[in-house]
Amino acid sequence: DQQVKQNSPSLSVQEGRISILNCDYTNSMFDYFLWYKKYPAEGPTFLISISSIKDKNEDGRFTVFLNKSAKHLSLHIVPSQPGDSAVYFCAASLNRDDKIIFGKGTRLHILP
Amino acid sequence: ETGVTQSPTHLIKTRGQQVTLRCSSQSGHNTVSWYQQALGQGPQFIFQYYREEENGRGNFPPRFSGLQFPNYSSELNVNALELDDSALYLCASSLEGNSGSNTEAFFGQGTRLTVV
């Protein structure tokens, strides 16, 4: 039973435009949410996180939005760059010290 | 680069054999977690070690076991290998405690295990 769902296996976006990656979760006890980026032959790299007391967190080109009532979060990348092409994992945990539950990932292709 | 290193990078084993995977955590980190990533899936939590003791376990059978050493490096052992154990095994280290200086989990590059 997937507690963290990424329903789009892949997404293609033109360079310079906005990339929006979506994620839904089922466990209302999740308190901490993260996005990781993964290139082939590398481990996941932490991108950005948000705690449940916030609805937005921004770091440079990356912004994460959290809608607790809808149990939905999204990652916005603007402007998208070729180096952003990777697999993006949405993840959640009960708190910062707890195990991380990952979604299946969304492969983002940035088109020239 | 995160400073978390895993060895070996690739490994081929026969069904029924045993395997040990190793992880050196990032300097200053006291917690190590292990994840299994099957093809087309996200990483799945196996277990976590904090100060040399198991501190949480996912839905994996007892033939998956681990150790954490005083220098916070760690091993993952899998006995009686099955074909379905073929996956990328990821180690992640973090700093956890009551000081409020908890860090995010930083992952190594993984060990690709193939069971034939």
Side-chain angles (χ1 to χ4, degrees), chain A residues 27-84:
Chain A
N27 188 345
S28 58
M29 300 299 292
F30 284 143
D31 189 54
Y32 195 64
F33 303 89
L34 311 94
W35 284 93
Y36 280 83
K37 173 180 175 179
K38 187 178 185 301
Y39 293 119
E42 293 185 14
T45 303
F46 169 74
L47 259 182
I48 193 167
S49 63
I50 188 167
S51 93
S52 63
I53 62 172
K54 294 186 173 182
D55 55 19
K56 177 182 174 182
N57 189 24
E58 191 172 349
D59 183 2
R61 296 186 298 114
F62 302 91
T63 304
V64 57
F65 295 92
L66 175 63
N67 182 336
K68 288 189 292 293
S69 60
K71 295 196 187 71
H72 178 84
L73 65 155
S74 60
L75 175 69
H76 292 210
I77 307 172
V78 56
S80 300
Q81 297 175 354
D84 296 331

Side-chain angles (χ1 to χ4, degrees), chain B residues 72-107:
Chain B
Y72 302 129
S73 66
S74 177
E75 285 182 357
L76 164 66
N77 299 290
V78 187
N79 292 322
L81 282 166
E82 300 177 0
L83 297 179
D84 284 350
D85 296 333
S86 296
L88 180 69
Y89 287 85
L90 293 160
C91 165
S93 76
S94 59
L95 174 64
E96 295 180 11
N98 297 322
S99 65
S101 60
N102 293 10
T103 67
E104 316 303 343
F106 291 90
F107 284 81

Side-chain angles (χ1 to χ4, degrees), chain B residues 6 9 13 16 19 22 43 48 55 64 68-69 73 76 81 87 90:
Chain B
Q6 293 186 242
T9 54
K13 287 285 191 177
V19 70
R22 294 179 174 82
Q48 182 185 84
N55 183 39
F64 285 77
Q68 187 180 30
F69 300 100
S73 66
L76 164 66
L81 282 166
L90 293 160

